[in-house]
């Protein structure tokens, strides 16, 4: 069992930066694939970024490549999402997730555990 709690979301102007954190409970956190997804009002939840359990394999959605960076610190049971050059289209609730299958890292269905989400709002 893994319990995930996101933080760091806030209102920011376009072009600004934010760092989201996802704190996980459970001693087995280090074996999980972790990902970030987001959901804007009226839209489906979409993949943002994911990292393998070791942090070596990393995946990004095309829309965030070059602007977002996912990282993890297994000693601290924490996953991060550094976001720069934010755009109004990045406005959404951002969710952290943990799963076991790297093969499905870019699919929401591949994750077993989800946080409650943190709101990111980018003003123009």
């Amino acid at each position: 069992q893994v319990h995930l709690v996101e933080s760091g979301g806030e209102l920011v102007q376009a072009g600004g930066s934010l760092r989201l954190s996802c704190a996980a409970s459970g001693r087995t956190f280090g074996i999980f694939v972790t990902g970030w997804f987001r959901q804007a009002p009226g839209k489906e939840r979409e993949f943002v970024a994911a990292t393998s359990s070791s942090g070596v394999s990393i995946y990004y959605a095309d829309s965030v490549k070059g602007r977002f960076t996912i990282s993890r610190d297994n000693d601290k049971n924490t996953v991060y999402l550094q976001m720069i050059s934010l755009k109004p289209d990045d406005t959404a609730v951002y969710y952290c997730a943990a799963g076991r299958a790297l093969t499905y890292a870019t699919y929401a269905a591949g994750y077993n555990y989800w946080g409650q989400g943190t709101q990111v709002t980018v003003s123009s």
Side-chain angles (χ1 to χ4, degrees):
Q1 187 76 13
V2 176
H3 182 60
L4 304 171
V5 179
E6 303 95 333
S7 62
E10 62 181 69
L11 172 64
V12 64
Q13 288 189 334
S17 302
L18 281 176
R19 188 176 81 158
L20 305 183
S21 298
C22 173
S25 63
R27 293 179 295 174
T28 59
F29 173 73
I31 68 173
F32 285 91
V33 173
T34 53
W36 287 95
F37 289 75
R38 66 186 182 185
Q39 188 166 18
K43 295 186 177 181
E44 293 186 355
R45 190 169 299 190
E46 65 173 358
F47 168 74
V48 175
T51 175
S52 61
S53 58
S54 65
V56 172
S57 297
I58 291 178
Y59 308 90
Y60 293 104
D62 288 343
S63 59
V64 306
K65 279 181 182 176
R67 300 189 299 121
F68 290 12
T69 303
I70 187 172
S71 62
R72 65 188 295 164
D73 185 336
N74 287 341
D75 291 335
K76 296 182 178 180
N77 281 6
T78 304
V79 181
Y80 305 98
L81 186 68
Q82 179 68 49
M83 306 183 293
I84 66 171
S85 302
L86 284 161
K87 306 174 182 179
D89 284 348
D90 295 319
T91 295
V93 177
Y94 283 70
Y95 297 91
C96 175
R100 292 301 306 275
L102 188 60
T103 302
Y104 305 111
T106 62
Y107 299 93
Y111 292 85
N112 307 97
Y113 305 102
W114 293 83
Q116 84 290 345
T118 185
Q119 177 70 48
V120 172
T121 303
V122 184
S123 64
S124 57

